[in-house]
Amino acid sequence: MNRTVSSLIALVLAAVAAACVSLEPPARFLVTDRSGDQLKAITPEESKLWVRRFDDEDKGGLDFWKDALKSDLKDNRGYLLVAEAPATDGTGAAGHTMTLETTVNGRPVRELLAVFVRPGLCGDSIWVLEYVAPKDVFDKELASVTASLSTLR
């Protein structure tokens, strides 16, 4: 009986850990919020890093979510797509990054949007990382933010 209970507890703890967002942000980022399904961090210059996890019971898949996000940001919100590339997170899940640009209060702002889809038994989970900063700051921090994708678990 003890072995069954121990196995059940281990299974529950593994499921909870799999649902929690874990990321090692770059050194200059201060984590301001770390809850179960999101992480927020900021720099002294107010560059913002936000990681969120969403359930996807319909199992839309990476191609669907990549195209849906790109369409919404370009066609509905007026972002300019600057670059895109495949990516992998710290669990080995396939993902996709998009670098976008817009203007806020007359200043150019860039955003790195990374989306990953992790398969699950009852549904997939979608993991989204957003990094937003003024264009000149963005270019300086981009390499360290991109490197942190390998720590996303």
Side-chain angles (χ1 to χ4, degrees):
M1 185 70 160
N2 276 344
R3 186 176 173 134
T4 303
V5 171
S6 296
S7 296
L8 183 58
I9 289 172
L11 183 62
V12 169
L13 291 175
V16 169
C20 293
V21 171
S22 175
L23 175 87
E24 290 298 322
R28 297 199 72 245
F29 284 81
L30 172 67
V31 175
T32 59
D33 182 13
R34 188 185 300 259
S35 59
D37 60 356
Q38 74 173 358
L39 177 142
K40 291 182 180 181
I42 192 167
T43 68
E45 298 79 24
E46 297 190 19
S47 297
K48 295 169 180 62
L49 185 64
W50 190 9
V51 182
R52 294 177 284 172
R53 185 192 69 80
F54 303 93
D55 292 329
D56 179 19
E57 294 174 3
D58 298 322
K59 296 186 176 189
L62 179 60
D63 286 338
F64 174 85
W65 291 111
K66 172 187 69 166
D67 292 345
L69 286 168
K70 188 186 325 181
S71 175
D72 180 55
L73 291 165
K74 284 176 47 190
D75 301 339
N76 298 331
R77 299 178 191 226
Y79 282 80
L80 172 67
L81 181 63
V82 175
E84 56 184 317
T88 305
D89 71 6
T91 69
H96 193 79
T97 63
M98 291 177 261
T99 302
L100 304 137
E101 188 170 313
T102 191
T103 302
V104 177
N105 296 327
R107 295 178 42 202
V109 173
R110 284 213 168 161
E111 177 172 349
L112 174 70
L113 183 69
V115 61
F116 301 92
V117 177
R118 297 182 189 164
L121 293 176
C122 298
D124 295 343
S125 57
I126 303 163
W127 298 69
V128 178
L129 176 141
E130 292 178 80
Y131 160 59
V132 179
K135 184 177 176 181
D136 58 333
V137 175
F138 180 94
D139 294 337
K140 294 174 189 172
E141 297 172 338
L142 181 60
S144 63
V145 171
T146 301
S148 72
L149 290 175
S150 68
T151 70
L152 179 60
R153 300 188 187 289

